[in-house]
């Protein structure tokens, strides 16, 4: 007697646990390409002319400033028009440490960043009591006060400014090595060192911004930017987050200011605290590139550099044209050009948004229990 047995369906595998992902295949490929590109850029002083090295230095420093302002305005909601304060403080601190204390410029650069961050502490005490447009105006007024105060520093030239001693850059750490090993002239060697330092600061700035935005603090920043009242109700310490971003960006901006004026080797209060050069242009870069995205300032600084070279011969019309381009961008592309690209393609080179993967969702995508 045979007994027929019914074949039982195989037990389906247990659904995978839910997980949160931020990286994409495109971002992984981009990260590999970016590392190779940075390594290639590091060789630029040996491969291209001194003029090209100086152009790249300009792009690196402006991009670092733009990433700092993007963190402030695009993520922390702090619309500052006084970032020239920290550029000027960093630059004057460099000159003070080198001329008055005799420090090597390489050592003076991080100290200049710390000095700018220390200046940011009392300014934050006053500025953080203002909101919205009043905060923006307040930061500009504080920057103007800083310009007037540094103009009284007679040891560094007062209102007319001063220059770095030639031996300060000629004997800077690393210059003699480049002269002996690669037969570089002192001026080209000092430019190469400033170039490498600017590249390093830029890479660390972008890395800091990306790591921050992928962290819990980054989620808190996004919540504060979107709705500060709701974020506070959920336990986010909005004031502490904003203060941390304000101080961090002041430190980086001070570093960049020191680098810029190390390369210029000449400083004056009007130049170091210029609203147009160190805030207006930076805002333009972020606006046309795309605020609230790390990729935005990268695209924006490339466009700004091209526009500057193409339009600078038009005199005062140059600034009017830049302003018109910024207004058109804000009207028709509020998220900037990178925002348009992302909306149409979905590409993110520095993805910070969380995507939920796994669990029953991924199980169903593979066919689920019904195949």
């Amino acid at each position: 007697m045979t007994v027929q047995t019914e074949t039982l369906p195989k037990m389906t595998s247990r659904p995978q646990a839910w997980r949160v992902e931020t990286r994409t295949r495109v971002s992984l490929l981009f990260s590999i390409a970016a590392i190779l590109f940075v390594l290639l850029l590091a060789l630029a002083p040996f491969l291209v002319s001194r003029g090209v090295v100086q152009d790249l230095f300009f792009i690196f420093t402006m991009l670092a400033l733009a990433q700092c302002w993007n963190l402030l305005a695009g993520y922390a909601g702090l619309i500052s028009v006084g970032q020239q304060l920290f550029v000027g403080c960093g630059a004057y601190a460099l000159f003070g440490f080198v001329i008055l204390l005799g420090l090597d410029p390489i050592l003076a650069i991080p100290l200049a960043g710390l000095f700018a961050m220390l200046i940011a502490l009392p300014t934050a005490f006053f500025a953080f009591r203002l909101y919205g447009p009043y905060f923006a105006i307040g930061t500009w007024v504080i920057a103007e006060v800083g310009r007037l105060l540094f103009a009284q520093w007679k040891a560094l030239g007062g209102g007319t400014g001063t220059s770095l001693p030639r031996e300060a850059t000629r004997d800077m750490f690393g210059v003699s090595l480049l002269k002996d090993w690669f037969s570089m002239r002192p001026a080209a060697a000092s430019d190469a060192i400033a170039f490498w330092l600017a590249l390093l600061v830029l890479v660390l700035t972008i890395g800091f911004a990306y790591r921050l935005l992928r962290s819990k603090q980054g989620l808190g920043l996004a919540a504060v930017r979107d709705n500060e009242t709701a974020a506070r109700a959920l336990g986010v310490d909005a004031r502490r987050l904003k203060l941390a971003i304000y101080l961090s960006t002041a430190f980086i901006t001070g570093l960049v200011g020191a680098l810029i004026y190390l390369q210029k080797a000449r400083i004056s209060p009007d130049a170091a605290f210029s609203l147009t050069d160190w805030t207006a242009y930076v805002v333009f870069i972020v606006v046309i590139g795309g605020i609230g995205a790390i990729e935005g300032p990268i695209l924006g600084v490339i466009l700004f550099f091209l526009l500057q070279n193409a339009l600078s011969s038009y005199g005062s019309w140059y600034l009017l044209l830049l302003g018109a381009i910024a207004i058109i961008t804000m009207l028709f592309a509020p998220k900037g050009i990178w925002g348009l690209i992302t909306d149409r393609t979905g590409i993110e080179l520095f993805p910070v948004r969380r995507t939920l993967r796994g669990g029953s969702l991924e199980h169903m995508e593979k066919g689920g229990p019904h195949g």
Side-chain angles (χ1 to χ4, degrees):
M1 182 176 177
T2 59
V3 179
Q4 294 183 348
T5 58
E6 185 179 351
T7 303
L8 295 175
K10 292 182 179 180
M11 295 292 292
T12 57
S13 58
R14 291 181 59 188
Q16 297 180 9
W18 293 101
R19 65 184 185 277
V20 177
E21 292 182 355
T22 52
R23 291 187 178 91
T24 64
R25 183 175 299 177
V26 173
S27 69
L28 287 174
L29 293 174
F30 171 76
S31 63
I32 295 171
I35 292 171
L36 295 176
F37 184 61
V38 168
L39 294 176
L40 180 62
L41 283 175
L43 299 175
F46 305 113
L47 302 176
V48 298
S49 67
R50 187 182 172 194
V52 175
V53 168
Q54 291 175 345
D55 286 341
L56 289 173
F57 176 86
F58 171 79
I59 291 172
F60 294 163
T61 51
M62 292 302 290
L63 179 52
L65 293 176
Q67 291 290 358
C68 288
W69 195 84
N70 188 39
L71 269 180
L72 279 173
Y75 292 98
L78 298 172
I79 310 296
S80 171
V81 291
Q83 292 303 98
Q84 67 272 18
L85 171 67
F86 306 121
V87 173
C89 286
Y92 264 97
L94 172 79
F95 274 62
F97 286 130
V98 172
I99 295 175
L100 303 180
L101 300 182
L103 293 182
D104 189 284
I106 302 298
L107 178 60
I109 288 170
L111 295 178
L114 290 173
F115 177 75
M117 187 170 66
L118 289 175
I119 294 296
L121 279 171
T123 61
F125 177 81
F126 296 103
F128 276 39
R129 281 160 171 73
L130 305 172
Y131 296 93
Y134 299 104
F135 177 86
I137 295 171
T139 55
W140 172 68
V141 170
I142 293 171
E144 284 299 297
V145 171
R147 181 182 66 84
L148 294 173
L149 289 176
F150 277 93
Q152 309 307 313
W153 197 352
K154 301 300 182 183
L156 292 180
T160 58
T162 187
S163 300
L164 277 177
R166 181 174 298 179
E167 60 271 13
T169 53
R170 186 185 59 199
D171 300 332
M172 184 169 58
F173 177 78
V175 170
S176 60
L177 294 177
L178 292 175
K179 287 185 345 186
D180 296 338
W181 292 359
F182 301 101
S183 301
M184 279 189 176
R185 300 177 63 180
S190 62
D191 279 351
I193 292 172
F195 171 87
W196 286 323
L197 290 173
L199 179 60
L200 176 62
V201 170
L202 174 60
V203 170
L204 293 177
T205 300
I206 294 177
F208 166 73
Y210 186 44
R211 185 65 181 269
L212 172 67
L213 297 175
R214 285 166 51 87
S215 67
K216 291 187 293 185
Q217 289 76 17
L219 282 174
L221 270 178
V224 169
R225 176 194 60 190
D226 295 337
N227 192 323
E228 184 171 340
T229 303
R232 289 178 183 273
L234 293 173
V236 177
D237 192 338
R239 188 176 183 85
R240 174 180 285 186
L241 276 176
K242 288 184 176 183
L243 179 62
I245 295 298
Y246 189 75
L247 296 180
S248 300
T249 54
F251 172 75
I252 298 171
T253 304
L255 285 179
V256 175
L259 277 171
I260 290 170
Y261 281 90
L262 172 65
Q263 200 261 352
K264 289 178 178 291
R266 170 76 189 172
I267 196 170
S268 68
D270 290 340
F273 292 88
S274 171
L275 172 65
T276 301
D277 291 343
W278 313 128
T279 297
Y281 287 159
V282 167
V283 173
F284 176 82
I285 288 169
V286 177
V287 167
I288 65 168
I291 192 169
I294 295 176
E295 302 91 340
I298 297 175
L299 179 59
V301 77
I302 296 171
L303 295 173
F304 172 70
F305 179 75
L306 296 175
L307 288 170
Q308 189 180 51
N309 287 332
L311 302 176
S312 58
S313 60
Y314 289 92
S316 58
W317 286 98
Y318 163 62
L319 294 177
L320 293 175
L321 289 170
L322 288 183
I325 292 170
I327 292 171
I328 292 171
T329 303
M330 287 186 287
L331 288 175
F332 297 100
K335 296 180 182 178
I337 296 175
W338 182 256
L340 287 178
I341 295 173
T342 301
D343 290 342
R344 294 188 178 184
T345 65
I347 294 175
E348 290 183 321
L349 304 180
F350 295 92
V352 295
R353 291 186 296 181
R354 276 88 176 155
T355 304
L356 201 58
R357 300 288 187 188
S360 58
L361 183 64
E362 187 170 303
H363 190 63
M364 292 177 65
E365 289 175 353
K366 293 181 179 179
H370 302 290

